[in-house]
Amino acid sequence: MKPLYILLLLLLAGSVAPAQESHRFDIPRAGTVDVAAVEVDYFPHLQRLQKPFPGGSEAMNTLEAVKQQQEAKYGGRTPDAPANKQNGGALEPWMGRNFRSNIAIQGVPNDNDLAVGGNFVLSVINSNIWMHDRDGNTLKTISLEAWSDTLNVSQDQFDPRALYDPRHDRFIIVCLSGFTSTTNNIVVGFSATNDPTGDWNLYALPGDPLNDTLWTDYPIIALTEYELFVTGNLLRNGEPWQTGFDKSICWQIDLDNGYAGDTLETRLWERPTFGGAPIRNLCPVQGGVLPYGPNLYLLSNRNFAASNDTVFVMEITDTLNGNPQYTVDFALADVPYSVPTNAPQVISQRLATNDARWLDAFIENDNIQFVGNCTDTITGLPGVYHGIIPMVSTSSPLTVTANVLRDDSVGYGYGGITWFGLSYTDNDALIGVSYSGPYNTKHPGCGVIYSNGQGLYSDLVIARRGSGFINAISDTLERWGDYSGMQLDYGPTLGRAWMAGTWGQSSHIPATWVAEFNHPGIVSRPETPPTTVDANAFPNPFTDLVGLEFRLEHAQAVDIALYDLQGRKVETLLRTQGKAGLNRFTFSQQPLPSGIYFLRITGEQGQLATKKVVKQ
């Protein structure tokens, strides 16, 4: 970074932090729903087979032109190039319970989010809510339309978000309805109890709150101890999101009134700017171990930049009934971010990665960690940008330490992130990613990468391998999803988290996979995870050759890896195509010292079986 440029930014920062505009609104409860009592639900969904081009194809192609320039500039590496040196240095987390969700989805994109609390796992997607217990048993399925029916709002529900509030033991779901300033609302639902299959209090926030002939798009939600925050972008009618942006907003909402079903007290913050230019795509930063408060940080960037190192850091400093201030600052990153290239598939249709906006963030120990899509400048494939802002409340100037999570044979996208430590002083994180590559063994799937808080990352741990490519709209650019779900498990034991990600079915329609992951430091694990195949290790204990027999229902790609008692991967022993029926695998134990090991089989549906083996 040139000193002159730093000086210019510092001068700008001192001149662009005036008080931000805010407005007070009281929003009465507009409806209720007893989820368990909903019996008639048609799950309506209109699938748009081709994206519209209001404003002309030139406006819609602006972002794609930048992506093509990125690919031309950075592409060209062969798939067998050396693996990313930043991955593989940390131990791998291990997957526990995992299951398919949102089976009925037929539309795109696969906007995944989830909330986990008590014995409930909520998975939301365009345009459904699926409620499971922790073992994956489906308790209730309901469409967003049926869930919000009593509000009498537009039936075009989309962009759902969900979270669990561990301080109040309640659930929150937010979605949008309507695509114009006259039909658009932000639908906010608060569970009346800790049972999400029961009663909900529903509210409709105006999508055009200031009557500016605008409508709200792309919400993100976060909690503090006392309040809910909902951010969004206000767009002009009839223009695409790339060029129709007018301003960003943030709703500050009292939680107690929502849970009680009383009138919501809210404050609307609008139009943050930096250097006279509007800031867009506000990503609110939630607490790691628990929601904190009363202040809330928000992050943003220059999301259409081919290369940029400026991260905007905003803060709302008090509750809405106190004396809140909205400040704007910035941090400089040691690794630039960039507009991401699109992800490859085995067919010519690629998967859209949108822009470089920040997708998810948390704060713990005064460190903010965040993720977003970017281009891997080594391979030209899309990667996930992981940034850390250390000591955000005391450092001046602010800085960002960053890495690009990458793979030489697949593209990564749509990262989510959650705190993942075993101690309250840890800065560990679990990062969920979607992946896709140009080979049959790299069909779109999802998984996680563990960051150990000391600059090292694990290899990708796959939650669900794709069974086929995605070809839902038969367009040259397939929708991949706008975000993925990640949440810490707020149970009695630290070091567990859940993800909801996208995978490609053999029908070529995207679907959702939900998985629980455990910190690599947790060594107590079941010998056979819930998703299993029949497997038998022999002889056991063993001294020379050891074999593993397992039965597959159908032919599929299979990984077999060896782990030690502490959960550390010793070696990936084989990657091959397993045959339907009985398979036998053998390997030599000669390189191994005496001890207890685990042989793990991973297939298209993630982890299939784990068998303990003992070398004498």
Side-chain angles (χ1 to χ4, degrees):
M1 180 63 62
K2 296 180 179 180
L4 181 60
Y5 179 55
I6 295 177
L7 178 61
L8 176 61
L9 285 175
L10 290 172
L11 291 173
L12 283 172
S15 62
V16 296
Q20 302 296 311
E21 295 184 53
S22 69
H23 311 267
R24 293 295 297 264
F25 292 86
D26 290 332
I27 309 293
R29 186 179 68 176
T32 61
V33 60
D34 179 358
V35 171
V38 176
E39 297 181 355
V40 178
D41 189 348
Y42 294 100
F43 289 89
H45 180 79
L46 177 64
Q47 182 174 347
R48 292 169 175 82
L49 296 179
Q50 188 175 26
K51 290 175 290 185
F53 289 90
S57 60
E58 181 178 353
M60 291 293 290
N61 289 337
T62 300
L63 180 58
E64 292 307 312
V66 178
K67 292 173 177 283
Q68 292 173 12
Q69 293 171 5
Q70 297 285 78
E71 188 169 325
K73 181 176 181 180
Y74 299 115
R77 281 277 297 274
T78 57
D80 58 352
N84 171 24
K85 65 179 181 180
Q86 293 169 345
N87 289 14
L91 303 180
E92 293 181 1
W94 53 278
M95 186 165 65
R97 291 164 284 193
N98 61 100
F99 46 87
R100 184 178 180 178
S101 185
N102 279 293
I103 298 173
I105 181 66
Q106 293 295 319
V108 291
N110 224 31
D111 296 342
N112 277 303
D113 206 359
L114 89 164
V116 182
N119 191 41
F120 300 100
V121 179
L122 272 62
S123 167
V124 298
I125 200 171
N126 286 345
S127 305
N128 303 328
I129 307 169
W130 285 60
M131 300 180 182
H132 307 272
D133 64 21
R134 285 174 175 259
D135 292 324
N137 300 305
T138 300
L139 305 174
K140 183 68 177 181
T141 62
I142 186 171
S143 67
L144 290 174
E145 189 276 333
W147 176 74
S148 61
D149 183 60
T150 58
L151 294 179
N152 295 317
V153 296
S154 168
Q155 292 186 352
D156 290 318
Q157 278 81 18
F158 62 103
D159 283 1
R161 300 279 189 170
L163 54 76
Y164 171 70
D165 180 352
R167 291 190 180 275
H168 294 84
D169 193 20
R170 297 289 189 273
F171 292 86
I172 297 173
I173 294 177
V174 174
C175 68
L176 302 179
S177 66
F179 294 91
T180 69
S181 59
T182 58
T183 63
N184 182 241
N185 287 276
I186 305 172
V187 178
V188 182
F190 299 86
S191 69
T193 70
N194 59 5
D195 182 356
T197 66
D199 293 329
W200 289 73
N201 300 313
L202 303 176
Y203 300 82
L205 277 61
D208 184 19
L210 303 177
N211 297 315
D212 293 328
T213 320
L214 304 170
W215 62 280
T216 301
D217 187 36
Y218 197 79
I220 309 181
I221 62 178
L223 290 174
T224 59
E225 186 175 0
Y226 308 105
E227 295 173 327
L228 168 69
F229 291 81
V230 181
T231 66
N233 295 324
L234 294 189
L235 307 182
R236 293 182 287 272
N237 286 328
E239 294 190 41
W241 64 266
Q242 291 94 332
T243 61
F245 172 79
D246 183 86
K247 57 187 171 185
S248 291
I249 58 171
C250 179
W251 289 90
Q252 188 175 4
I253 303 168
D254 180 74
L255 284 173
D256 288 335
N257 289 349
Y259 295 135
D262 298 331
T263 296
L264 292 183
E265 297 179 65
T266 76
R267 183 186 294 269
L268 174 71
W269 299 92
E270 65 158 329
R271 203 185 296 276
T273 61
F274 185 87
I279 296 175
R280 65 189 294 171
N281 306 315
L282 306 179
C283 180
V285 181
Q286 184 160 298
V289 176
L290 286 169
Y292 299 127
N295 65 317
L296 177 95
Y297 288 100
L298 305 102
L299 304 180
S300 186
N301 63 3
R302 296 303 190 200
N303 59 305
F304 292 143
S307 181
N308 202 298
D309 61 358
T310 302
V311 176
F312 301 114
V313 183
M314 293 145 282
E315 184 179 11
I316 298 174
T317 59
D318 201 352
T319 61
L320 63 92
N321 290 318
N323 183 29
Q325 302 296 314
Y326 193 129
T327 64
V328 180
D329 201 349
F330 73 95
L332 297 181
D334 60 349
V335 175
Y337 55 85
S338 58
V339 164
T341 53
N342 294 315
Q345 296 195 93
V346 67
I347 57 174
S348 60
Q349 285 94 332
R350 296 198 166 198
L351 297 174
T353 53
N354 289 348
D355 55 32
R357 71 186 66 183
W358 305 134
L359 299 171
D360 202 3
F362 74 85
I363 182 170
E364 191 64 43
N365 300 315
D366 208 28
N367 297 325
I368 293 178
Q369 299 194 44
F370 60 95
V371 290
N373 293 341
C374 70
T375 292
D376 170 17
T377 58
I378 293 178
T379 65
L381 293 168
V384 167
Y385 188 96
H386 175 215
I388 302 174
I389 306 174
M391 307 307 294
V392 65
S393 68
T394 58
S395 295
S396 182
L398 297 175
T399 59
V400 176
T401 301
N403 283 300
V404 176
L405 306 182
R406 60 172 72 95
D407 189 289
D408 289 313
S409 61
V410 298
Y412 290 158
Y414 296 106
I417 190 169
T418 183
W419 182 82
F420 197 56
L422 289 178
S423 166
Y424 297 116
T425 60
D426 290 344
N427 290 310
D428 303 23
L430 191 67
I431 300 168
V433 300
S434 297
Y435 71 85
S436 179
Y439 309 104
N440 285 324
T441 58
K442 304 292 185 180
H443 286 315
C446 57
V448 297
I449 297 171
Y450 164 63
S451 170
N452 71 352
Q454 301 173 15
L456 296 178
Y457 298 85
S458 74
D459 288 326
L460 174 69
V461 179
I462 294 175
R464 181 59 163 93
R465 295 181 184 275
S467 300
F469 53 83
I470 293 176
N471 190 22
I473 59 176
S474 300
D475 204 350
T476 56
L477 194 60
E478 291 287 325
R479 300 297 300 274
W480 200 7
D482 286 344
Y483 43 85
S484 301
M486 290 292 300
Q487 187 207 292
L488 179 70
D489 191 332
Y490 297 107
T493 303
L494 297 177
R496 290 187 171 92
W498 291 76
M499 75 163 296
T502 296
W503 61 285
Q505 302 178 98
S506 57
S507 64
H508 310 307
I509 299 295
T512 298
W513 198 260
V514 172
E516 172 196 49
F517 282 93
N518 297 268
H519 192 282
I522 299 176
V523 297
S524 174
R525 67 183 72 190
E527 288 193 15
T528 305
T531 304
T532 64
V533 297
D534 292 333
N536 180 47
F538 62 89
N540 196 5
F542 64 96
T543 57
D544 188 10
L545 288 177
V546 65
L548 183 69
E549 290 184 350
F550 58 95
R551 187 176 299 276
L552 297 175
E553 293 184 2
H554 63 275
Q556 58 183 286
V558 171
D559 285 8
I560 303 176
L562 190 69
Y563 291 79
D564 66 15
L565 188 60
Q566 286 71 45
R568 296 172 298 204
K569 182 190 285 187
V570 178
E571 187 69 42
T572 298
L573 300 172
L574 185 67
R575 289 177 175 169
T576 188
Q577 186 75 8
K579 300 291 196 308
L582 189 64
N583 293 259
R584 173 176 288 186
F585 165 75
T586 60
F587 76 101
S588 172
Q589 54 74 44
Q590 288 296 333
L592 297 175
S594 298
I596 298 174
Y597 299 89
F598 292 89
L599 272 174
R600 181 184 300 173
I601 311 169
T602 304
E604 288 179 351
Q605 295 185 346
Q607 187 173 317
L608 297 177
T610 299
K611 283 296 178 181
K612 182 170 70 175
V613 292
V614 180
K615 183 190 175 183
Q616 293 178 335

